[in-house]
Amino acid sequence: MDPKDLELRNHLFNLAYNIILDYKAAQFQGNLKARKLLMALQRAFNEDQRYDRAMVAELLATYHIDQEMFDEDRTDAALRDAFSHDQQLASEMHITNTPSAVFMDTDQPETDAAILLENVTDHHVFANICHELVTRPAAFYGSAELGSLNGTDLHVL
């Protein structure tokens, strides 16, 4: 992608924004349905750069998401508020790259210890890091900076 091609960048931004709004609208009907829709939208876009309302309608039917309710929610101000809240939360957690994940140590509620994983591209690496966080939390949450593990960047928040 040419980083100077503003038309393409605007197109991709608008496409991503519409997919996010679709996901948020579907979330009002259940997180599992919304995740399935999001994964299908991503697959469709990655395979043939396709996104249109007809495709979305087809996927809504596939995942048993009520079209009429989806359309209402898609234009509701509460949806945009939820999206803005998600963006604010991501900003507070210093998330600037995708894919990223944040782990909080809920066993120690008196602290706000958290680990940010960036560039998580391998499911097995992600699973291994999750296992290590659960079995050896002090090794992670007690560090000032963690560095990198198999291409995944780990940071203490």
Side-chain angles (χ1 to χ4, degrees):
M1 178 174 94
D2 179 5
K4 295 178 182 175
D5 186 344
L6 292 180
E7 186 174 323
L8 177 60
R9 289 173 61 99
N10 285 336
H11 170 73
L12 293 174
F13 173 84
N14 288 328
L15 178 69
Y17 181 69
N18 280 308
I19 290 172
I20 290 167
L21 293 183
D22 289 347
Y23 169 74
K24 295 303 290 180
Q27 244 185 339
F28 291 165
Q29 296 184 46
N31 284 326
L32 181 59
K33 290 178 181 182
R35 279 193 301 273
K36 287 180 179 181
L37 175 66
L38 178 61
M39 297 307 290
L41 288 168
Q42 288 176 331
R43 264 193 311 278
F45 180 73
N46 288 336
E47 288 172 7
D48 59 7
Q49 308 288 302
R50 182 175 169 225
Y51 175 86
D52 57 51
R53 300 314 306 164
M55 178 190 69
V56 171
E58 184 180 310
L59 292 172
L60 293 176
T62 300
Y63 297 110
H64 309 288
I65 298 170
D66 182 271
Q67 175 82 51
E68 186 176 333
M69 188 182 302
F70 175 87
D71 290 340
E72 278 182 36
D73 292 336
R74 185 73 164 62
T75 59
D76 193 330
L79 180 119
R80 281 166 182 69
D81 290 344
F83 173 65
S84 293
H85 176 73
D86 289 349
Q87 283 188 311
Q88 181 181 1
L89 186 60
S91 176
E92 290 171 6
M93 293 184 176
H94 307 286
I95 296 173
T96 58
N97 298 316
T98 58
S100 293
V102 174
F103 291 89
M104 307 290 287
D105 188 357
T106 58
D107 288 336
Q108 299 179 34
E110 67 281 352
T111 71
D112 54 357
I115 303 294
L116 170 62
L117 307 179
E118 294 182 305
N119 303 315
V120 184
T121 57
D122 185 311
H123 172 72
H124 298 293
V125 171
F126 182 76
N128 289 338
I129 292 171
C130 291
H131 176 75
E132 289 296 313
L133 283 167
V134 169
T135 58
R136 299 182 320 115
F140 291 89
Y141 294 109
S143 301
E145 187 59 39
L146 297 172
S148 182
L149 179 64
N150 292 341
T152 298
D153 299 320
L154 294 90
H155 306 280
V156 176
L157 296 179

mmCIF file of all heavy atoms in Angstrom, residues 8 18 21 28 31 34 39 42 59 68 73 78 83 85 110 115 117 119 134 146:
data_model
loop_
_atom_site.group_PDB
_atom_site.id
_atom_site.type_symbol
_atom_site.label_atom_id
_atom_site.label_comp_id
_atom_site.label_asym_id
_atom_site.label_seq_id
_atom_site.Cartn_x
_atom_site.Cartn_y
_atom_site.Cartn_z
ATOM 1 N N LEU A 8 -6.900 5.859 -0.978
ATOM 2 C CA LEU A 8 -6.898 4.475 -0.512
ATOM 3 C C LEU A 8 -6.932 4.423 1.013
ATOM 4 O O LEU A 8 -7.673 3.640 1.601
ATOM 5 C CB LEU A 8 -5.668 3.730 -1.034
ATOM 6 C CG LEU A 8 -5.510 2.291 -0.557
ATOM 7 C CD1 LEU A 8 -6.706 1.445 -0.978
ATOM 8 C CD2 LEU A 8 -4.213 1.699 -1.091
ATOM 9 N N ASN A 18 -16.725 0.999 9.324
ATOM 10 C CA ASN A 18 -18.013 0.343 9.086
ATOM 11 C C ASN A 18 -18.033 -1.070 9.656
ATOM 12 O O ASN A 18 -19.044 -1.509 10.224
ATOM 13 C CB ASN A 18 -18.353 0.334 7.598
ATOM 14 C CG ASN A 18 -18.917 1.660 7.164
ATOM 15 O OD1 ASN A 18 -19.858 2.160 7.763
ATOM 16 N ND2 ASN A 18 -18.346 2.249 6.137
ATOM 17 N N LEU A 21 -18.489 -0.758 13.367
ATOM 18 C CA LEU A 21 -19.879 -0.443 13.719
ATOM 19 C C LEU A 21 -20.782 -1.665 13.539
ATOM 20 O O LEU A 21 -21.697 -1.886 14.341
ATOM 21 C CB LEU A 21 -20.387 0.740 12.901
ATOM 22 C CG LEU A 21 -19.739 2.095 13.194
ATOM 23 C CD1 LEU A 21 -20.384 3.184 12.355
ATOM 24 C CD2 LEU A 21 -19.793 2.449 14.676
ATOM 25 N N PHE A 28 -24.939 -6.066 20.406
ATOM 26 C CA PHE A 28 -26.177 -5.837 21.150
ATOM 27 C C PHE A 28 -27.070 -7.080 21.134
ATOM 28 O O PHE A 28 -27.999 -7.183 21.929
ATOM 29 C CB PHE A 28 -26.940 -4.639 20.598
ATOM 30 C CG PHE A 28 -26.273 -3.303 20.849
ATOM 31 C CD1 PHE A 28 -26.679 -2.185 20.161
ATOM 32 C CD2 PHE A 28 -25.244 -3.159 21.764
ATOM 33 C CE1 PHE A 28 -26.086 -0.945 20.378
ATOM 34 C CE2 PHE A 28 -24.639 -1.931 21.999
ATOM 35 C CZ PHE A 28 -25.064 -0.819 21.309
ATOM 36 N N ASN A 31 -22.401 -11.396 22.248
ATOM 37 C CA ASN A 31 -20.971 -11.337 21.923
ATOM 38 C C ASN A 31 -20.529 -12.455 20.989
ATOM 39 O O ASN A 31 -19.694 -12.235 20.114
ATOM 40 C CB ASN A 31 -20.127 -11.362 23.201
ATOM 41 C CG ASN A 31 -20.148 -10.040 23.918
ATOM 42 O OD1 ASN A 31 -20.217 -8.991 23.297
ATOM 43 N ND2 ASN A 31 -20.109 -10.082 25.233
ATOM 44 N N ALA A 34 -21.566 -11.635 17.520
ATOM 45 C CA ALA A 34 -20.755 -10.513 17.036
ATOM 46 C C ALA A 34 -19.360 -10.975 16.636
ATOM 47 O O ALA A 34 -18.834 -10.548 15.600
ATOM 48 C CB ALA A 34 -20.678 -9.428 18.103
ATOM 49 N N MET A 39 -15.338 -12.124 12.468
ATOM 50 C CA MET A 39 -14.387 -13.038 11.826
ATOM 51 C C MET A 39 -14.766 -13.272 10.358
ATOM 52 O O MET A 39 -13.907 -13.310 9.483
ATOM 53 C CB MET A 39 -14.325 -14.366 12.584
ATOM 54 C CG MET A 39 -13.813 -14.220 14.021
ATOM 55 S SD MET A 39 -12.244 -13.359 14.168
ATOM 56 C CE MET A 39 -11.145 -14.539 13.474
ATOM 57 N N GLN A 42 -13.901 -10.143 8.374
ATOM 58 C CA GLN A 42 -12.456 -10.074 8.153
ATOM 59 C C GLN A 42 -12.019 -11.060 7.074
ATOM 60 O O GLN A 42 -11.206 -10.728 6.212
ATOM 61 C CB GLN A 42 -11.701 -10.346 9.456
ATOM 62 C CG GLN A 42 -11.801 -9.222 10.439
ATOM 63 C CD GLN A 42 -11.142 -9.541 11.763
ATOM 64 O OE1 GLN A 42 -11.071 -10.685 12.189
ATOM 65 N NE2 GLN A 42 -10.657 -8.512 12.422
ATOM 66 N N LEU A 59 -24.451 -12.375 5.914
ATOM 67 C CA LEU A 59 -23.780 -12.863 7.118
ATOM 68 C C LEU A 59 -24.676 -12.747 8.346
ATOM 69 O O LEU A 59 -24.638 -13.608 9.232
ATOM 70 C CB LEU A 59 -22.460 -12.123 7.336
ATOM 71 C CG LEU A 59 -21.375 -12.402 6.299
ATOM 72 C CD1 LEU A 59 -20.182 -11.478 6.507
ATOM 73 C CD2 LEU A 59 -20.954 -13.866 6.351
ATOM 74 N N GLU A 68 -33.464 -6.322 11.254
ATOM 75 C CA GLU A 68 -34.163 -5.083 11.610
ATOM 76 C C GLU A 68 -33.571 -4.463 12.879
ATOM 77 O O GLU A 68 -33.312 -3.256 12.936
ATOM 78 C CB GLU A 68 -35.654 -5.365 11.808
ATOM 79 C CG GLU A 68 -36.473 -4.124 12.042
ATOM 80 C CD GLU A 68 -37.957 -4.431 12.142
ATOM 81 O OE1 GLU A 68 -38.426 -5.432 11.564
ATOM 82 O OE2 GLU A 68 -38.650 -3.649 12.827
ATOM 83 N N ASP A 73 -29.915 -0.629 15.654
ATOM 84 C CA ASP A 73 -28.761 -0.440 16.535
ATOM 85 C C ASP A 73 -27.603 0.228 15.803
ATOM 86 O O ASP A 73 -26.869 1.020 16.386
ATOM 87 C CB ASP A 73 -28.296 -1.784 17.112
ATOM 88 C CG ASP A 73 -29.295 -2.375 18.087
ATOM 89 O OD1 ASP A 73 -30.097 -1.613 18.662
ATOM 90 O OD2 ASP A 73 -29.267 -3.609 18.280
ATOM 91 N N ALA A 78 -26.208 5.245 20.995
ATOM 92 C CA ALA A 78 -25.582 4.396 22.023
ATOM 93 C C ALA A 78 -24.456 3.553 21.424
ATOM 94 O O ALA A 78 -23.455 3.281 22.091
ATOM 95 C CB ALA A 78 -26.630 3.491 22.669
ATOM 96 N N PHE A 83 -18.608 2.642 20.990
ATOM 97 C CA PHE A 83 -17.379 2.660 20.189
ATOM 98 C C PHE A 83 -16.392 3.681 20.753
ATOM 99 O O PHE A 83 -15.200 3.388 20.907
ATOM 100 C CB PHE A 83 -17.705 2.967 18.727
ATOM 101 C CG PHE A 83 -16.493 3.168 17.873
ATOM 102 C CD1 PHE A 83 -15.616 2.134 17.638
ATOM 103 C CD2 PHE A 83 -16.224 4.400 17.299
ATOM 104 C CE1 PHE A 83 -14.477 2.316 16.846
ATOM 105 C CE2 PHE A 83 -15.104 4.603 16.521
ATOM 106 C CZ PHE A 83 -14.231 3.553 16.288
ATOM 107 N N HIS A 85 -16.209 4.729 23.790
ATOM 108 C CA HIS A 85 -15.715 4.188 25.060
ATOM 109 C C HIS A 85 -14.603 3.169 24.807
ATOM 110 O O HIS A 85 -13.585 3.160 25.508
ATOM 111 C CB HIS A 85 -16.855 3.558 25.852
ATOM 112 C CG HIS A 85 -16.410 2.900 27.116
ATOM 113 N ND1 HIS A 85 -16.017 3.609 28.222
ATOM 114 C CD2 HIS A 85 -16.269 1.591 27.434
ATOM 115 C CE1 HIS A 85 -15.649 2.776 29.180
ATOM 116 N NE2 HIS A 85 -15.797 1.544 28.726
ATOM 117 N N GLU A 110 -5.826 -4.819 44.511
ATOM 118 C CA GLU A 110 -5.290 -3.570 45.058
ATOM 119 C C GLU A 110 -4.265 -2.928 44.135
ATOM 120 O O GLU A 110 -3.878 -1.784 44.318
ATOM 121 C CB GLU A 110 -4.671 -3.798 46.452
ATOM 122 C CG GLU A 110 -3.416 -4.654 46.471
ATOM 123 C CD GLU A 110 -3.683 -6.158 46.364
ATOM 124 O OE1 GLU A 110 -4.840 -6.589 46.429
ATOM 125 O OE2 GLU A 110 -2.701 -6.899 46.193
ATOM 126 N N ILE A 115 -0.312 -6.338 31.704
ATOM 127 C CA ILE A 115 0.696 -6.642 30.691
ATOM 128 C C ILE A 115 0.063 -6.409 29.329
ATOM 129 O O ILE A 115 -1.045 -6.879 29.051
ATOM 130 C CB ILE A 115 1.164 -8.111 30.768
ATOM 131 C CG1 ILE A 115 1.715 -8.458 32.153
ATOM 132 C CG2 ILE A 115 2.173 -8.419 29.673
ATOM 133 C CD1 ILE A 115 2.972 -7.735 32.530
ATOM 134 N N LEU A 117 0.466 -7.124 25.393
ATOM 135 C CA LEU A 117 1.116 -7.933 24.362
ATOM 136 C C LEU A 117 0.811 -7.291 23.021
ATOM 137 O O LEU A 117 -0.341 -7.062 22.684
ATOM 138 C CB LEU A 117 0.576 -9.362 24.355
ATOM 139 C CG LEU A 117 0.575 -10.151 25.652
ATOM 140 C CD1 LEU A 117 -0.022 -11.532 25.424
ATOM 141 C CD2 LEU A 117 1.965 -10.255 26.213
ATOM 142 N N ASN A 119 1.738 -7.236 18.690
ATOM 143 C CA ASN A 119 2.200 -8.058 17.569
ATOM 144 C C ASN A 119 1.981 -9.537 17.833
ATOM 145 O O ASN A 119 2.811 -10.365 17.502
ATOM 146 C CB ASN A 119 3.678 -7.778 17.252
ATOM 147 C CG ASN A 119 3.909 -6.319 16.958
ATOM 148 O OD1 ASN A 119 3.150 -5.712 16.224
ATOM 149 N ND2 ASN A 119 4.936 -5.748 17.560
ATOM 150 N N VAL A 134 -0.543 -17.145 33.852
ATOM 151 C CA VAL A 134 -1.368 -17.789 34.874
ATOM 152 C C VAL A 134 -0.499 -18.553 35.875
ATOM 153 O O VAL A 134 -0.736 -18.481 37.080
ATOM 154 C CB VAL A 134 -2.406 -18.732 34.225
ATOM 155 C CG1 VAL A 134 -3.092 -19.601 35.252
ATOM 156 C CG2 VAL A 134 -3.430 -17.923 33.441
ATOM 157 N N LEU A 146 9.526 -6.083 29.826
ATOM 158 C CA LEU A 146 9.633 -7.498 29.531
ATOM 159 C C LEU A 146 10.332 -7.809 28.213
ATOM 160 O O LEU A 146 10.892 -8.870 28.061
ATOM 161 C CB LEU A 146 8.229 -8.127 29.539
ATOM 162 C CG LEU A 146 7.533 -8.053 30.900
ATOM 163 C CD1 LEU A 146 6.097 -8.515 30.773
ATOM 164 C CD2 LEU A 146 8.276 -8.881 31.923
#
